[in-house]
Amino acid sequence: MTSDLDIDHMVPLAEAWDSGARNWTTSRRQSYANDLGDSRPLVAVTDNVNQAKGDQDPATWMPPYSSARCRYINEWVATKIRWRLTVDTAEKNALTSWANSCSNVTITVVRAF
């Protein structure tokens, strides 16, 4: 079985827009969209997973494989912190609920700006 791979924004562009990127300069939005300064904002995923996720956040979508969920949560949070993006109540509640089944980790982030 072969699958096509997509490069996916951990935090989708529309979600970033809704979380504060709408107030950024065009240059900063381009930097976000092409962020190679951290390994977490851009990830290789199967096209099926990318299409299923779309522009959703963790309140409405989680990876189908339970073994990937804790990594997803950590990378989502790291990306939000790196880019100083906001988290809405439903998103925070979902992240907190899902994270309860994950082992404790320390997330280290270098802010993008």
Side-chain angles (χ1 to χ4, degrees):
M1 179 177 143
T2 61
S3 295
D4 292 330
L5 289 179
D6 291 348
I7 300 301
D8 183 30
H9 291 92
M10 177 57 62
V11 175
L13 298 175
E15 169 67 21
W17 181 266
D18 293 342
S19 301
R22 72 166 54 88
N23 300 317
W24 295 348
T25 63
T26 299
S27 176
R28 181 166 290 161
R29 285 195 297 271
Q30 288 173 339
S31 293
Y32 175 80
N34 299 299
D35 187 4
L36 298 178
D38 188 292
S39 64
R40 297 169 285 205
L42 297 171
V43 293
V45 298
T46 63
D47 59 352
N48 294 346
V49 169
N50 193 15
Q51 290 167 11
K53 176 183 162 196
D55 290 336
Q56 298 180 81
D57 71 23
T60 56
W61 186 88
M62 287 298 288
Y65 302 107
S66 59
S67 61
R69 291 180 185 146
C70 291
R71 179 179 174 189
Y72 176 76
I73 291 165
N74 291 339
E75 292 181 358
W76 182 277
V77 170
T79 301
K80 286 275 187 145
I81 292 169
R82 174 170 169 74
W83 287 94
R84 302 175 190 262
L85 295 168
T86 61
V87 176
D88 65 35
T89 302
E91 180 184 354
K92 180 180 179 183
N93 290 341
L95 288 166
T96 302
S97 177
W98 284 104
N100 284 333
S101 63
C102 300
S103 59
N104 289 336
V105 298
T106 299
I107 297 173
T108 303
V109 176
V110 174
R111 301 240 189 202
F113 62 94

